[in-house]
Amino acid sequence: MVLRKNQIEASLQEDKNLIADGKLKEDNPLDVSETFIKLCEACRRGDLKTCQETITEGANINARDRFDYTPLILASLCGHFEVVQLLLESGALCERDTFQGERCLYNALNDRIRNLLLSYDYSKSTDPLQPLASHLNSLLTREHPQTSDILVAAAGESFRLHKFILSARSPYFARKLSVAPDTTSWKLPSAIPPPAFGIAIKYIYLGEIPNDVGGGPGTGFSEDEVLAGIDKISRQLEIMSLWNCILESGDRRLARQRRTDEVEKGRNQLEAWFSNHVLKHRVLIDTAKADNVRWDRSNEIFADVLLRADESDDAFDIESPALEYPHQEEPEMSNGIPIGPLTQASRSPSRNRKSQKSVLFPVYRAMLLRSGYFLTMFSSAFREAQPTEHLQIISVDCSPEVLEVVLKFLYTEKTDFPLDIAIDVLFAADLLLIEKLKLKAAVVISTLGNGSMSQIPTRLDAAETSCPEQEELDVYDVVRAGWLTRVPRLEEFGARYLAYRLESYIDEKDFADLVRESANRIKGRQETDTIELLDDIRYYLSERFRLRFKDSGLEDMMKEERKIFTEAEPNTEGILPEDKGVDVGSFPNDDTARGDVELASENMMNDGSIRTLDGRIAEDELEGDAINYQILLGKINGLLDRLKLDA
C-alpha cells in the first residue's frame, strides 16, 4: 500500500515525538565523542586496526557524526572493502528501506562494496546477541543432555530450570538460592496460572514474548487471569520490565527496541554472574595435584563441571592474586567449594615458578553446550557425561588465559582479547568446534595484525627511513594457522600482507619454505597445478601497484617494462644478469637482508629521481613503481626456478 504524503509526515512526526519522550531510540543518533570521531577518521583512511580497537572500546558503529555520516557510509564512500566488511560483521546497519541505508548503497565506491552491503540484510546485522538468546531459550525444551538442577511444579505442569540462570536474572531467586543452594524444587503459588509463569520463564531465558499471552476457552484460565498472573509473578520475581514488554508487544518498533534492550540487559547480568562466580572461584593449583581436587556437586555457585587448563612449563609471569582461591588454606569447606589438596599461595610475587601450575574453572554444562565439542561429549556415553559424587575435571588443551576467553564468549558473546593470543584462541575455538569464536579470532588477526594499508610506504625507496616496528605476530604462523583451521580469511590476509611487503620477505628462507608447503598441499601434484599462495600474492601485488598508478597513465609503461624483463630471463641458477636484475639465488640467514628497501634512505637521489630495487635510476616515483612491480614478479619466478616448481 502506498502511503499519502500526509500519512508519511504524520508517521515521521510520531517517531520524532517518541524519540523526544525517550520511548524510541534513534537508529543513527548524533555522536561527537572522541572515540566515535576516531572511528570515523579510521573509516576514512581504511585503518583496520584502529577501527577494531574503537569498536572494542564500545563506539556506536551506527551513530552519525556532525556531518551526518555514519562509519559505514564513510568506509563505503572511500572504497575500503575490508573496513566495510568489519563494520557489517560487528553489527552495522544497512537497511535498504531507510534513508541512511540507501545513502550507503548509493555512495558505495564500487560494485564489490555495493554487493557486500546488499548481502547483509537487516536480521543478519542487527542482533549479534541472538545466538546467545537462542541457546538459553533452547535449554527450556532440551531433553538430552539434561542440564537442569531445579524443578518448579505448577498445577500439574513442571518446569526444569537452571539455578544459575534464575539467580543471574531474578533478584528474588538470587536471594532464595543463596540462602538455600541445595534447593532442587520449588512450588509455584496456586494464585498464579502456569501460562503466566511460563511467559515469565521465557522472559528470564531471553525468549521473545508472544503477542498472545494465552488463556481462553479450554485452557482453564481467562486472558485477564493470565495477565493478572503475569503482573503478580513479575512483582514476586522482581522482573518488572516483563510487564513493559507485554504492554509494548503491539507496536513493532517499540517491541523490537525493547527486545534488543532486554537481550543486552540479560547478557550483562550473565556477564556479572560469570565474573562474580566463575572467575572469582577459579583455583590455581600445582598441575601434579590438579586431578586430586574434590569439589562437591552441591555447591553455592551451582557449578556442575570443572574445566582445567595447564600453564606452559616455561611460564615465568608473576603469579596473580586474582588466580588465588581466597580460602585455599582450608582443605574442607561447608559450602562444597572445594575440598582437596590445594597449594598455599605465596605472599610475595615470584618470577620463578618451581612447578607447573593449572587453573580450574567451575562452570555449567548448560553453557558449554554452545560448543560442539562439549555437546558431543555430554550427549554420549563418555565418562565425562556420567553423574559422579564430585565434579568431574575436564582438561582443555590451551592456556588458562585462552580458556578464560573461550568461557567469556560462551557466557556473554563477548570476544575481547589481545592480538598476542589471537592465534591460540583460533586453535582453541577450532578444537572446541566454536565456529563464531574462530571467525572472530580470524577477524582480530586480520585487522589488528594488518594495521592500516595506508601505513605501507607510498614509495619503495622511502619505505624505511627509521627502524621498522616490531611485528606483533608472525605472518608465516598466520598463513599456516589458516591452512590448519580451514579459515580462508587468514589465507587471504597472509597473502595480502606478504604482497604489500614482498620486498621485505621475498629473499627469506622462511618465505621459500612457505611456498614449498603451499605447493605440497596439493596431493599428487601435476606440472599444470598452480600454487595457491603465489596466485594470491600475485593478485594482491597487482592490486598494490595498480591502486597507486591506476589512473596515472602507466599501463603502457608496465607493458614496456614487461618486454624488458622478458629479454632478461634468469639463468639456471635463478640469477639475473648484474646489469639487469638482482640476485635471488641464495637465501640470507640473518636479519640484515630483510628486503631490498632496508637501505632505502640511500635510494633517494638529490635531483628527486628514484633508485629501483635493482639499482637502476627511475625519473620519478611512478616509473619506479612500474619497474619495481616487474622486479618483484621476476623474483617470484626466480624463486620458483630455485625450488624447481611450476606455477
Side-chain angles (χ1 to χ4, degrees):
M1 182 182 67
V2 179
L3 298 178
R4 296 192 302 273
K5 179 180 178 181
N6 64 316
Q7 292 177 311
I8 296 176
E9 291 176 345
S11 177
L12 292 175
Q13 184 61 40
E14 181 183 357
D15 290 349
K16 185 177 180 180
N17 293 336
L18 289 173
I19 292 173
D21 294 339
K23 296 180 180 179
L24 186 66
K25 290 183 179 179
E26 191 175 358
D27 289 336
N28 304 107
L30 178 64
D31 192 340
V32 294
S33 65
E34 182 178 349
T35 302
F36 181 73
I37 293 175
K38 185 178 178 182
L39 172 61
C40 291
E41 290 297 329
C43 289
R44 288 188 178 93
R45 297 192 309 269
D47 189 342
L48 274 171
K49 182 177 181 180
T50 302
C51 287
Q52 178 65 56
E53 290 173 346
T54 52
I55 291 173
T56 302
E57 290 175 14
N60 183 359
I61 56 178
N62 288 308
R64 54 184 171 85
D65 62 12
R66 59 193 181 94
F67 302 107
D68 209 28
Y69 284 104
T70 67
L72 188 60
I73 292 177
L74 291 171
S76 302
L77 182 64
C78 297
H80 302 304
F81 180 87
E82 289 79 10
V83 175
V84 173
Q85 187 177 38
L86 173 64
L87 292 172
L88 291 172
E89 290 173 346
S90 302
L93 301 180
C94 182
E95 215 174 349
R96 293 196 66 179
D97 296 332
T98 65
F99 174 68
Q100 296 290 3
E102 291 293 347
R103 281 185 67 198
C104 193
L105 290 168
Y106 180 79
N107 289 314
L109 186 64
N110 52 53
D111 288 338
R112 186 185 181 204
I113 292 178
R114 188 172 294 106
N115 292 334
L116 177 64
L117 294 170
L118 291 172
S119 68
Y120 275 74
D121 58 19
Y122 182 80
S123 61
K124 183 176 181 180
S125 61
T126 189
D127 198 354
L129 296 181
Q130 186 57 39
L132 174 63
S134 297
H135 173 74
L136 290 180
N137 197 39
S138 70
L139 295 176
L140 294 174
T141 56
R142 184 183 294 276
E143 296 182 357
H144 187 72
Q146 185 58 247
T147 58
S148 63
D149 54 6
I150 184 172
L151 181 68
V152 177
E157 294 188 34
S158 59
F159 301 85
R160 295 186 177 275
L161 307 176
H162 304 77
K163 288 188 279 190
F164 83 93
I165 297 179
L166 297 178
S167 297
R169 294 278 286 143
S170 167
Y172 170 83
F173 278 120
R175 290 194 304 272
K176 290 291 184 181
L177 294 176
S178 64
V179 175
D182 296 335
T183 302
T184 57
S185 62
W186 187 68
K187 187 175 182 180
L188 184 69
S190 57
I192 299 176
F197 183 72
I199 290 177
I201 291 301
K202 197 174 186 67
Y203 167 82
I204 288 176
Y205 278 70
L206 301 184
E208 294 194 43
I209 305 301
N211 294 328
D212 184 7
V213 298
T219 63
F221 303 95
S222 66
E223 183 176 355
D224 290 341
E225 289 176 328
V226 174
L227 289 172
I230 293 175
D231 183 41
K232 291 179 181 178
I233 195 65
S234 63
R235 294 177 185 276
Q236 181 176 352
L237 302 185
E238 300 177 41
I239 48 175
M240 296 306 300
S241 53
L242 168 60
W243 187 247
N244 294 330
C245 292
I246 297 294
L247 295 178
E248 296 173 356
S249 60
D251 189 310
R252 182 182 62 85
R253 296 166 303 170
L254 292 177
R256 187 174 69 181
Q257 178 181 297
R258 173 66 66 175
R259 165 71 177 164
T260 301
D261 293 343
E262 288 300 328
V263 172
E264 178 72 23
K265 175 183 175 182
R267 191 271 295 275
N268 293 338
Q269 291 172 326
L270 286 173
E271 182 179 11
W273 178 272
F274 175 74
S275 299
N276 296 330
H277 295 80
V278 176
L279 297 184
K280 184 178 179 180
H281 291 91
R282 58 189 170 179
V283 177
L284 178 66
I285 188 173
D286 288 341
T287 299
K289 301 178 181 180
D291 289 334
N292 298 327
V293 171
R294 298 294 181 267
W295 196 310
D296 286 344
R297 183 162 294 278
S298 177
N299 55 79
E300 67 176 6
I301 62 173
F302 322 125
D304 57 6
V305 68
L306 296 174
L307 293 188
R308 167 184 162 183
D310 301 334
E311 295 181 342
S312 59
D313 294 326
D314 56 350
F316 292 98
D317 299 329
I318 296 178
E319 295 183 2
S320 172
L323 291 178
E324 300 170 4
Y325 188 72
H327 301 293
Q328 290 183 3
E329 68 278 5
E330 301 179 11
E332 300 285 342
M333 298 187 65
S334 59
N335 60 14
I337 312 175
I339 57 176
L342 303 181
T343 56
Q344 177 68 33
S346 174
R347 294 184 179 275
S348 60
S350 172
R351 297 195 65 85
N352 297 316
R353 300 206 178 157
K354 297 181 180 180
S355 60
Q356 186 182 11
K357 300 293 183 180
S358 297
V359 178
L360 302 179
F361 293 86
V363 294
Y364 313 96
R365 295 174 187 244
M367 300 307 296
L368 297 183
L369 295 182
R370 297 192 65 196
S371 158
Y373 176 87
F374 288 115
L375 176 60
T376 301
M377 175 185 291
F378 297 142
S379 301
S380 66
F382 292 133
R383 176 178 60 84
E384 291 83 357
Q386 308 308 313
T388 56
E389 179 182 358
H390 298 102
L391 301 188
Q392 297 207 36
I393 301 175
I394 301 175
S395 295
V396 181
D397 187 16
C398 65
S399 68
E401 185 181 13
V402 171
L403 183 55
E404 181 178 331
V405 170
V406 172
L407 291 175
K408 186 175 182 179
F409 171 79
L410 294 178
Y411 277 81
T412 68
E413 206 76 18
K414 285 189 175 182
T415 52
D416 303 333
F417 51 88
L419 179 62
D420 58 349
I421 65 169
I423 291 182
D424 293 331
V425 172
L426 175 76
F427 281 115
D430 185 61
L431 169 70
L432 300 176
L433 304 179
I434 310 174
E435 194 66 24
K436 188 174 180 181
L437 179 59
K438 186 168 74 170
L439 295 178
K440 181 61 179 178
V443 169
V444 170
I445 294 171
S446 59
T447 52
L448 296 181
N450 188 55
S452 170
M453 298 316 292
S454 65
Q455 296 170 0
I456 305 301
T458 56
R459 283 205 310 262
L460 290 177
D461 66 289
E464 299 291 344
T465 56
S466 60
C467 296
E469 61 181 34
Q470 185 69 26
E471 295 182 4
E472 294 187 56
L473 51 78
D474 189 331
V475 67
Y476 301 131
D477 290 341
V478 172
V479 174
R480 293 186 176 99
W483 290 341
L484 292 173
T485 58
R486 305 167 303 282
V487 181
R489 184 182 192 128
L490 290 183
E491 299 179 41
E492 296 170 3
F493 160 73
R496 189 166 189 259
Y497 188 98
L498 289 169
Y500 274 74
R501 302 161 175 83
L502 188 59
E503 60 277 4
S504 298
Y505 289 94
I506 186 67
D507 294 322
E508 289 191 346
K509 187 178 184 302
D510 289 339
F511 182 81
D513 293 339
L514 192 70
V515 171
R516 185 182 289 108
E517 288 181 38
S518 179
N520 293 336
R521 293 182 70 221
I522 301 178
K523 296 182 179 179
R525 181 176 178 79
Q526 304 297 320
E527 291 184 359
T528 56
D529 290 330
T530 63
I531 299 176
E532 184 179 7
L533 176 63
L534 285 185
D535 287 345
D536 291 340
I537 288 178
R538 285 192 182 105
Y539 170 80
Y540 288 118
L541 188 65
S542 173
E543 176 189 72
R544 167 188 173 183
F545 283 94
R546 289 181 184 277
L547 284 177
R548 282 158 58 172
F549 51 73
K550 181 178 180 182
D551 299 321
S552 301
L554 292 190
E555 298 294 335
D556 295 336
M557 182 184 297
M558 291 180 62
K559 293 178 181 179
E560 181 180 348
E561 293 297 332
R562 189 177 296 113
K563 293 179 181 179
I564 295 174
F565 276 84
T566 301
E567 297 173 359
E569 292 292 340
N571 58 25
T572 57
E573 299 295 329
I575 302 176
L576 291 172
E578 290 184 1
D579 59 338
K580 295 292 185 180
V582 292
D583 183 3
V584 295
S586 61
F587 299 108
N589 295 320
D590 53 48
D591 294 335
T592 60
R594 190 172 174 80
D596 292 287
V597 295
E598 295 295 330
L599 302 178
S601 59
E602 301 178 2
N603 293 342
M604 187 69 180
M605 310 300 292
N606 294 332
D607 59 357
S609 58
I610 305 297
R611 186 184 298 276
T612 62
L613 292 175
D614 62 350
R616 287 189 290 170
I617 304 299
E619 293 183 359
D620 55 36
E621 174 187 342
L622 297 177
E623 182 184 0
D625 281 347
I627 296 174
N628 286 326
Y629 174 64
Q630 294 301 326
I631 289 174
L632 292 175
L633 289 180
K635 297 186 81 172
I636 291 177
N637 293 333
L639 174 63
L640 290 173
D641 291 339
R642 177 72 176 178
L643 298 176
K644 298 180 180 180
L645 294 173
D646 293 321

